[in-house]
Amino acid sequence: MTSPDKSNNQKGTRKAPLSRELVLSTALALVDGKGLDALTMRRLGQELQRDPMSLYRYAANRAALLDGVTEVVMNELAILPEDLDWQVQLRKIAHDFRLLALQHPNVLPLLVTRPLSTPLGLRPLGTLRPLEHILALLIDAGFAPADALHVYRVYYGFLYGHILNELQEYIVDPDENEAILRLGLHRLPAKEFPHLRALGPALADYDGAAELDQGLTILLTGLAAQLAASDSPPVPQP
């Protein structure tokens, strides 16, 4: 006969039913905490307290797990189709994407490189929605479809590059007041790297959000000028 205490303990430790959402959210938590190399079916089974074989119902292999984790993160990116100002939208998406990357830095390599290993039409739908939305936004704003695709590529190329650069910013000694010493720039030969040493204060005061916004202003201003030029009537030739 089972004692009441033992019965209550069994009820209190009852496992949540498996689902794709639970498997992928646990996989994301594992990547966030331990890195991409820690994500295996065996380790994920341990985290879920399940036989790893039971997970193949929700992800056919590790590659499918990686795709699923990418989709979970991209689904967190807010898309606001009712806002038709393409410059405002692109600026907001960029800042939201940056925050996502900072929250999930271990997932960023997946967001940048994972799509390259999968044909476009076979990628998880969640990773394609930003592309479809931005294309629609730009085409509605007046860009030709082919130009809209080019803008998307330039935009995300800039965005990925900025975020990778920001995550690589490294302070050697955060308690040191002198910028050159904080960044370890004092180790560089002064005659060979005069500009880097001189820019020590600017490098030490790096503000990722402000840097992103400045880059977006340059990018969007150029795109707006391109769009305005394409809308202008042709100049008569003498």
Side-chain angles (χ1 to χ4, degrees), residues 26-47 62 65-66 106:
T26 305
L28 174 58
L30 182 58
V31 172
D32 282 341
K34 302 294 184 180
L36 282 173
D37 290 342
L39 183 58
T40 63
M41 287 295 193
R42 181 177 179 180
R43 182 63 182 274
L44 186 57
Q46 292 173 349
E47 294 291 321
R62 186 174 185 272
L65 271 182
L66 296 176
N106 291 335

Side-chain angles (χ1 to χ4, degrees), residues 145-165:
D147 289 339
L149 181 59
H150 177 68
V151 170
Y152 173 87
R153 288 169 175 161
V154 171
Y155 172 73
Y156 263 94
F158 161 74
L159 186 53
Y160 286 145
H162 167 85
I163 293 171
L164 287 171
N165 183 66

